[in-house]
Amino acid sequence: MILINITIGFLGLLIGSFLNVVIYRVPRGESIVKPGSHCPTCGHILRAWELIPVISFLIQKGQCRNCQSPISWRDPVVELLTGILFFSTATVSLRLDTHPARLLLNLIFMAMLIALSLIDLDTFRLPDVLTLPLLVIGILGAFLIPGNPSGWESVLSALGVGGIFWTIALFYPQGMGLGDVKLVAALGAFLGFPSIFLAIFVGSFMGAVIGFILIFTGQKRFRQQMPFGPYLAFGAMVALFWGTRIIDWYWTFV
Ligand SMILES: [Zn+2]
């Protein structure tokens, strides 16, 4: 069993390497397939060994082999993070006896959340080319794969939280963008009730705590724009990993 988790973790490292391409190219409107991976400074085409996640960064000491321009330290971090999250998703899904197709769905969910979070951090945008497919995959998966949420639960959950966030965005457009509305609808489709509320609660709480720390340490000004996507994504991951446990624990107090 553990062999499957480790294999999926290694697969995560490779997917993380691809996510770096997505994070860089999607906001620039470039193709994610062509041309192949290259150094953004000198155009040097990366050879197979230069594409090995994390290791190639260490061997090249964080520099392009051709022009010595620095490679962002964030690239290997994204690869490692994707590997760890894939391993964790596999571990939790196998423990809960999740349908194999839903495990695949959860891995796609994780990968897209990582890409969206970093694009939102870089650009304050959550591109439709990622949020809308995420919503569609979430709903289709719920209809086609046995387990939670069921198809209609997924649709209702997406419409419900999407509607609430859309109303907030109408009245408070400087605080919430339409990208956040589409993302939260997609999260609703994936998680269903009541997990989506846990995700929003955890995400908002984290956003408030980190916002407070950034203002307190002088790194952000009060009312300065802050991306909400990464916090929502974090909340969704917490809900996916520990949702049932946290909600059961909560009910023991009611
Ligand atoms: Zn170069």
Side-chain angles (χ1 to χ4, degrees), residues 77-92:
V77 171
V78 167
E79 290 162 355
L80 264 183
L81 180 72
T82 312
I84 292 168
L85 287 174
F86 267 43
F87 175 79
S88 312
T89 306
T91 307
V92 171

Side-chain angles (χ1 to χ4, degrees), residues 39 41-44 64 66-69:
C39 165
T41 310
C42 70
H44 164 67
C64 168
N66 190 45
C67 70
Q68 273 79 47
S69 64

Side-chain angles (χ1 to χ4, degrees), residues 114-168:
I114 295 166
L116 281 164
S117 299
L118 285 151
I119 290 174
D120 199 9
L121 278 175
D122 286 348
T123 65
F124 294 104
R125 293 252 182 292
L126 293 164
D128 285 352
V129 289
L130 293 174
T131 51
L132 296 181
L134 192 64
L135 174 64
V136 173
I137 295 169
I139 292 173
L140 281 182
F143 273 106
L144 296 176
I145 307 164
N148 275 313
S150 67
W152 289 111
E153 214 185 324
S154 162
V155 172
L156 284 178
S157 169
L159 286 174
V161 288
I164 295 170
F165 271 55
W166 188 57
T167 313
I168 299 173

Side-chain angles (χ1 to χ4, degrees), residues 18 40 50 78 80 94 149:
F18 172 67
E50 288 169 298
V78 167
L80 264 183
L94 291 171

